[in-house]
Amino acid sequence: MEKYDVVIIGGGPIGIACGLEAQKKGLSYIILEKGPIVNSLFNYPANMQFFSSSERLEIDEIPFISKEAKPKRDEALEYYRRIVTSNKLNIHLFEKVTNVQKHPDSFTVITSKNEYTGTNVIVATGFYDIPNTLDVPGEDLEKVSHYYNNPHYYAGQKVVVVGASNSAIDAALECWRKGAEVTLVVRGPEIGQRVKYWVRPDIINRIEEGSIKAYFNSTVKAIYPESIDIETEGKTISIPNDFVLALTGYKPNFNFLEKLGINISDDAKRLPEYDQETMETNIKNLYLAGVICGGMETHKWFIENSRIHAKMIVANILRNEEKK
């Protein structure tokens, strides 16, 4: 069984940053990623543009040069891929972690392909893999998706987009511009305030001019093969419909965290327990890094403000090594 100072679960930007920092400090490490390099970013919409500028997405002070001030998905994929290959990071792709066993002085990390021993484990798995479901009849129909990739697929179709976040608004605008008949269903009274500042006026104008129909203070009640029922203004209405994009956000894999023994708050925020100075959880030598630290508050942590986690964690690991 291969043994490492650090086993990093998740090969996104923050997992890569942790690998870089471990490598710089002379620690043996392995990064385990269940998909391709930066799997979550790979599954973002094809035309997605980041809210952050390129320098805020940089890790380890490696320059990120983009064509525009706000880089797009493909530029980010190229940037992080080049970091992995140029630095010859020890990353195993398409290898899903299925279990982590705690021992007195180590962990056994079991994957779909192998087993590894690590003195320390870093969980940097993000939150994009598990969607917040609507929990309504018909949500399992083939016409319903919690992910969106390319607007061309929806050209000439009646599309209901559920949500008011960046992903929902981007999808609504892009599908409309490719010829879809778009209806937006929003639980709140307005378009979300966190929507990208250059996009929010666009969607508001499209709604006001009638190009995109929007129902505010509304919820989905049921989905059928050729229609969707929503509750709005105290009544239920049926809308003819071909596809539903339920882009209502995502959440961390809480079951996995609890299986590891990490304490999670039992309120709506579901915050995992960790030391804000070291990122160590209530389990000794088990750390969290990146957006997973925010629980259900997935808007609190981004690449730009969690890059520092890698340095914090590795510094603490080295301090612990010195104490031995």
Side-chain angles (χ1 to χ4, degrees):
M1 187 183 299
E2 298 176 76
K3 186 171 183 178
Y4 298 93
D5 294 321
V6 188
V7 176
I8 302 162
I9 304 174
I14 305 305
I16 290 171
C18 291
L20 277 172
E21 189 65 17
Q23 184 169 278
K24 284 169 55 181
K25 300 300 184 182
L27 297 172
S28 62
Y29 72 94
I30 185 171
I31 304 171
L32 301 171
E33 170 55 63
K34 72 176 184 178
I37 298 170
V38 290
N39 179 65
S40 291
L41 296 190
F42 177 76
N43 287 300
Y44 279 4
N47 300 321
M48 192 218 59
Q49 188 170 29
F50 284 87
F51 194 103
S52 303
S53 57
S54 58
E55 68 269 14
R56 291 180 174 273
L57 298 174
E58 293 174 355
I59 55 177
D60 202 41
E61 299 181 355
I62 300 170
F64 182 176
I65 308 300
S66 64
K67 296 178 181 178
E68 304 175 56
K70 312 286 187 181
K72 293 191 174 179
R73 164 188 171 269
D74 282 355
E75 292 177 308
L77 293 180
E78 177 72 8
Y79 173 71
Y80 295 115
R81 181 183 64 80
R82 288 296 300 272
I83 287 177
V84 168
T85 56
S86 297
N87 290 278
K88 297 181 173 59
L89 293 185
N90 185 24
I91 183 169
H92 287 204
L93 303 172
F94 300 98
E95 187 166 348
K96 183 178 180 178
V97 173
T98 57
N99 196 15
V100 178
Q101 298 172 349
K102 180 73 171 76
H103 308 296
D105 297 311
S106 66
F107 298 87
T108 297
V109 179
I110 302 167
T111 75
S112 54
K113 298 180 179 180
N114 211 336
E115 292 187 9
Y116 307 91
T117 297
T119 305
N120 302 274
V121 170
I122 302 173
V123 180
T125 50
F127 65 87
Y128 194 61
D129 293 322
I130 302 178
N132 294 321
T133 55
L134 301 174
D135 298 326
V136 299
E139 190 171 8
D140 58 346
L141 289 173
E142 189 175 349
K143 66 183 274 188
V144 181
S145 177
H146 293 283
Y147 296 90
Y148 161 77
N149 183 31
N150 195 305
H152 174 83
Y153 186 81
Y154 303 101
Q157 301 297 292
K158 295 179 175 65
V159 180
V160 167
V161 179
V162 185
S165 63
N166 279 296
S167 56
I169 300 309
D170 283 345
L173 287 168
E174 289 183 8
C175 289
W176 170 72
R177 290 198 164 94
K178 296 301 181 183
E181 181 182 315
V182 176
T183 300
L184 194 59
V185 178
V186 181
R187 183 174 56 184
E190 62 177 1
I191 298 300
Q193 291 292 335
R194 299 193 195 98
V195 170
K196 289 172 279 196
Y197 64 83
W198 65 94
V199 174
R200 195 170 187 272
D202 190 1
I203 187 67
I204 290 173
N205 288 335
R206 301 294 76 75
I207 292 169
E208 289 180 350
E209 72 185 14
S211 297
I212 293 175
K213 176 67 175 178
Y215 292 93
F216 294 101
N217 297 310
S218 303
T219 55
V220 175
K221 302 304 292 182
I223 302 169
Y224 304 98
E226 297 180 354
S227 65
I228 180 172
D229 286 354
I230 69 169
E231 184 174 310
T232 183
E233 296 181 348
K235 59 183 179 181
T236 298
I237 64 171
S238 182
I239 303 171
N241 169 256
D242 298 306
F243 291 99
V244 175
L245 290 172
L247 305 178
T248 51
Y250 307 91
K251 58 188 175 183
N253 189 338
F254 293 114
N255 288 337
F256 180 66
L257 295 183
E258 289 174 329
K259 191 175 180 181
L260 298 179
I262 297 173
N263 294 332
I264 298 175
S265 68
D266 54 9
D267 58 10
K269 295 180 179 180
R270 304 223 64 199
L271 295 172
E273 182 180 337
Y274 64 92
D275 186 314
Q276 296 187 16
E277 299 297 324
T278 66
M279 309 308 297
E280 188 174 26
T281 68
N282 56 287
I283 305 297
K284 184 176 174 56
N285 298 332
L286 177 60
Y287 299 84
L288 296 181
V291 297
I292 196 171
C293 299
M296 289 300 294
E297 295 186 309
T298 54
H299 60 280
K300 290 292 182 70
W301 290 103
F302 306 96
I303 297 171
E304 63 186 70
N305 67 355
S306 60
R307 297 174 295 182
I308 189 62
H309 292 172
K311 294 183 182 297
M312 296 165 63
I313 293 169
V314 171
N316 193 63
I317 290 173
L318 292 173
R319 283 194 297 268
N320 289 339
E321 287 294 317
E322 290 175 359
K323 294 176 184 177
K324 291 181 179 179

